[in-house]
Amino acid sequence: MENTFTGVFEKAGDWYIGFVEELPGANTQGRTLEEARENLREAVQLILLSNRQLSETELSGKEVIREEITVDV
């Protein structure tokens, strides 16, 4: 599954800091812009994986309906 998010990067001294507008908590830094980008991609992957695992644990044993949704923004 592939998703698109908006990464925002700011030069702060010798570092770049970055965050994802659509995903609170997805923040990172890097010495180069490319390092910050890669770190942010990894942070997003880990957050989504962690959220999915937490959800599966909380819903274990419950009758639920899972379905994909599409949202136009």
Side-chain angles (χ1 to χ4, degrees), residues 7 23 43 67:
L23 190 58
E67 60 185 42

Side-chain angles (χ1 to χ4, degrees), residues 5-45:
F5 300 97
T6 307
V8 178
F9 300 93
E10 179 182 357
K11 180 89 166 143
D14 293 335
W15 291 81
Y16 287 88
I17 57 171
F19 67 94
V20 172
E21 287 182 338
E22 301 88 352
L23 190 58
N27 307 297
T28 194
Q29 63 184 18
R31 290 204 178 269
T32 66
L33 182 55
E34 186 52 42
E35 181 181 28
R37 284 180 181 135
E38 186 57 35
N39 290 345
L40 193 56
R41 284 186 197 98
E42 183 179 3
V44 169
Q45 289 172 332

